[in-house]
Amino acid sequence: MLLVKNPWSESGGRIAYTGGGEVHNASDRTRQDTIFGITLSTDIDGKLQDIEPGTFWMNIHDVFQHFESLYLNWNPGLFSYKEDIHFSWDLIRRNGQWASLGNNPQYQIYSEAGGTVWLVLSRHLKSSNRTSQEGSTMMGAVDTGFISIYLYHVKGDKIYLAEGPCTRSPYVDSPNTLLKVDLPKNARCTVVISEQELDRSSHNFTLSAFSLQPLRISEADDRYSNRTVRSGEWNSATAGGNASSPSHFQNPQFSIELPRRSDVSLLLELDSGELPIHVKLIRADGKPVRFVNTRDIVGDSGEYRKGHAFAEMRNVPAGRYTIICSTFEQGQLGKFTIHIGTMLDCIVERLSTRPAGCFVSQLPTAFFGAQIDRLWAWVKCPRLTRLSVVAQSREATSSQPSDLPLKVSLELGQGSMKRILAISGNDEFCNGYYGVQLNDIDIQPYMAAQAGIWIVLERAGPLESQSHAGVYVEVYSDTAIEVGSWYHSS
């Protein structure tokens, strides 16, 4: 037999259990005694026992039938050392299961001697008045959801992604969860509190550590002394998709200026939803990016991830860089927050991917033939004009980027007397998958009158595998210009 207590009972009546799967009030029992005004019930040995409000006897078979789990208490007095830390966790703005670990409670645990440590996470239950089926008012638990403890061997540093824990406890919907940890000597580990489906409100917790050796619990270290937070969104004009999308460079972009060499972390998080997202840092002098060479990518977050993306770069030299935040598919809309971590103060600014008042001129799609590796088209401007040229190779049948090696230049005149005004990639061929670009070239009207101004495309390598590849070229200018069709030598 087990003596069971209902912790939510507020009634004053005594309850006694007589077996057979039924629970009876003490007043219904055939035998009960009163001593000094206290109602007593007879236990299974015939002895008198004070039955507290809300308690009753059940045999073990009925316990198995009516209850899903049974927890056994253990004696914390067996351990010589104990550390407690109490904290609150506000989940009101958390993006559920798609959030990173960046805002989860995190603590470092350290033991000089090492050894076994037991971690106990206790969730402080919240309760509210609720009405029973009989119409009476009762106190009942309203907390739902699951909690877990993650452990990482990362020298006590803060964690952002859930991958790679040394160990973790299962997610449980009870108010307590336990994790056994074997700590090496002089090791610092990071403990991360995780949740699933908890109410989107503020919750209170206690994390306790029990050990036979001295130990310490403190806040996890944040390697980045400077944190900059910016918000943004992918809307109908800026949801450009991944790098294979022709509108990729319309995605939100930010410039970051580092006065000295520093580690850099980028944490990109959706405010809500589960869109797959990505973030990367590019050497672009802090200017809007319209094409990318692979060698210009300082670092990125890898594969697209639902809800959040994280990139970390070590020893980034001083200078100005550009951050691109993207969704996987073009046209996926949502709001986001980006957290930029550095070891020193930095300047972060939002960039416009298309300058105000910018004119965009699109040339006809350029196709190379088996014996054609050079194409050119004329440009005319009515007055002094600053322009940029972007070219990207794509498969004509699918509009997906191809890896046709490209080079683009702006030339004054053609033939033996031509003069190159600007050329992409330091006169080297670059992968057309990411596009090639000329930036901010000033041209005068008289140039076109003298010998003509020409946009020149060149390809490298055999064309057999790229026979369906076309090159899409756009010209950005601060005044309206005219562009012609493509020519090639016969």
Side-chain angles (χ1 to χ4, degrees), residues 207-222:
L207 178 65
S208 303
F210 299 87
S211 175
L212 296 176
Q213 304 294 336
L215 76 160
R216 296 198 307 268
I217 298 181
S218 58
E219 295 277 350
D221 293 331
D222 191 345

Side-chain angles (χ1 to χ4, degrees), residues 195-270:
E195 63 84 24
Q196 291 180 356
E197 301 179 16
L198 285 183
D199 294 335
R200 293 299 164 237
S201 59
S202 181
H203 296 261
N204 297 320
F205 296 84
T206 297
L207 178 65
S208 303
F210 299 87
S211 175
L212 296 176
Q213 304 294 336
L215 76 160
R216 296 198 307 268
I217 298 181
S218 58
E219 295 277 350
D221 293 331
D222 191 345
R223 297 183 57 252
Y224 301 95
S225 57
N226 183 75
R227 289 252 170 219
T228 305
V229 180
R230 294 288 185 270
S231 59
E233 69 174 316
W234 293 283
N235 54 39
S236 57
T238 61
N242 61 63
S244 66
S245 170
S247 58
H248 174 66
F249 300 108
Q250 295 176 9
N251 280 299
Q253 300 184 22
F254 300 85
S255 70
I256 174 173
E257 182 176 353
L258 300 175
R260 298 187 304 279
R261 183 179 295 271
S262 172
D263 295 349
V264 177
S265 71
L266 305 174
L267 176 61
L268 179 65
E269 292 195 281
L270 279 174

Side-chain angles (χ1 to χ4, degrees), residues 409-422 446-447 450-454:
S409 59
L410 195 67
E411 299 180 358
L412 181 61
Q414 290 293 291
S416 59
M417 301 300 293
K418 72 177 181 182
R419 181 162 64 93
I420 297 177
L421 302 176
Y446 72 84
M447 295 179 177
Q450 288 181 345
I453 301 170
W454 303 86

Side-chain angles (χ1 to χ4, degrees), residues 98 100 106 124 150 183 192 256 279 298 302 307 337 339 359 375 452 466:
W98 310 115
S100 73
Q106 301 191 23
H124 303 181
Y150 283 66
L183 287 182
V192 182
I256 174 173
V279 63
V298 180
T337 302
H339 305 259
F359 293 87
L375 300 169
Q466 295 98 3

